[in-house]
Amino acid sequence: MTATASSTTLSPIHAAMGKDISVLPRIFEDSINIAVMQRRLPADVALSATAQCQTERPWQFSWLGTPDDNLIEELRRRAPQPEAANALIDDIVSLAQAVAYLFESQTVGIRLRILTEAMCPRFHCDNLPVRLVTTYLGPGSEWLPEEAVNRDGLGAPTPDRPEIVLKPDAVQTLKAGDIALIKGSGWEGCEHSALVHRSPSLNEGQKRLLLTIDPA
């Protein structure tokens, strides 16, 4: 696998970055709230993802269950372009099985969505233990190093709430293909140090194919 460049030369101390899948278990370290496997999408997966986004209708796929043959069949049945979906499906199922194995979970919650606008444009923390995030097409999620966050600004915006971002030039961006494990406030011991992140803005006519997987 070929690594993609990160937004800055040096990674924040609470982030684990690497080219190999062995970086993902570092999410279990107390000091780490994001672990990223930096990868360039294989050409067949990128083509398969692009094919699914040719549809003009809103589309999303949700699944809660064991990542087995039933998942493969349902993905193929629901895909906008099933004849071109095999490579993408293989990648999704592999990631779902990896999440189930890593977190010793029998079931996973999967959401695959074609987005035409930012889903969560405001910086926030997820109210769950951990989530895998990867973007197959379009810009990836944006996140903040801890030194660039004012946590007093998190939550619903109000006139007296301060700005969340202390250093706008410190915003980090995941690349298409990167696989990130993100700690939420539901992770024990991470109630006040969950990763602060947001959805990227999209240009008019631009699409994003986003996959999230939660151990259930």
Side-chain angles (χ1 to χ4, degrees), residues 93-153:
V93 173
S94 293
L95 293 179
Q97 291 173 342
V99 168
Y101 175 80
L102 187 60
F103 296 101
E104 299 181 346
S105 175
Q106 293 295 318
T107 59
V108 294
I110 297 173
R111 292 188 74 182
L112 181 66
R113 286 163 281 192
I114 298 174
L115 303 171
T116 56
E117 60 184 9
M119 185 177 58
C120 301
R122 181 175 169 81
F123 276 111
H124 66 283
C125 300
D126 290 334
N127 187 25
L128 45 74
V130 67
R131 168 168 286 167
L132 181 144
V133 176
T134 191
T135 299
Y136 286 107
L137 181 73
S141 300
E142 298 175 352
W143 58 277
L144 289 173
E146 191 60 33
E147 65 271 15
V149 177
N150 180 358
R151 291 186 177 269
D152 290 337

Side-chain angles (χ1 to χ4, degrees), residues 166-189:
L166 296 176
K167 301 177 182 178
D169 59 351
V171 175
Q172 306 284 296
T173 303
L174 298 172
K175 307 298 183 182
D178 286 351
I179 301 166
L181 287 174
I182 295 173
K183 278 180 183 172
S185 58
W187 185 285
E188 186 176 355

Side-chain angles (χ1 to χ4, degrees), residues 35-62:
V36 182
M37 178 183 169
Q38 299 167 309
R39 66 165 184 168
R40 187 183 300 278
L41 276 179
D44 59 341
V45 177
L47 287 172
S48 183
T50 300
Q52 306 313 307
C53 292
Q54 298 310 305
T55 180
E56 294 302 318
R57 61 183 175 87
W59 181 85
Q60 73 171 23
F61 171 87
S62 298

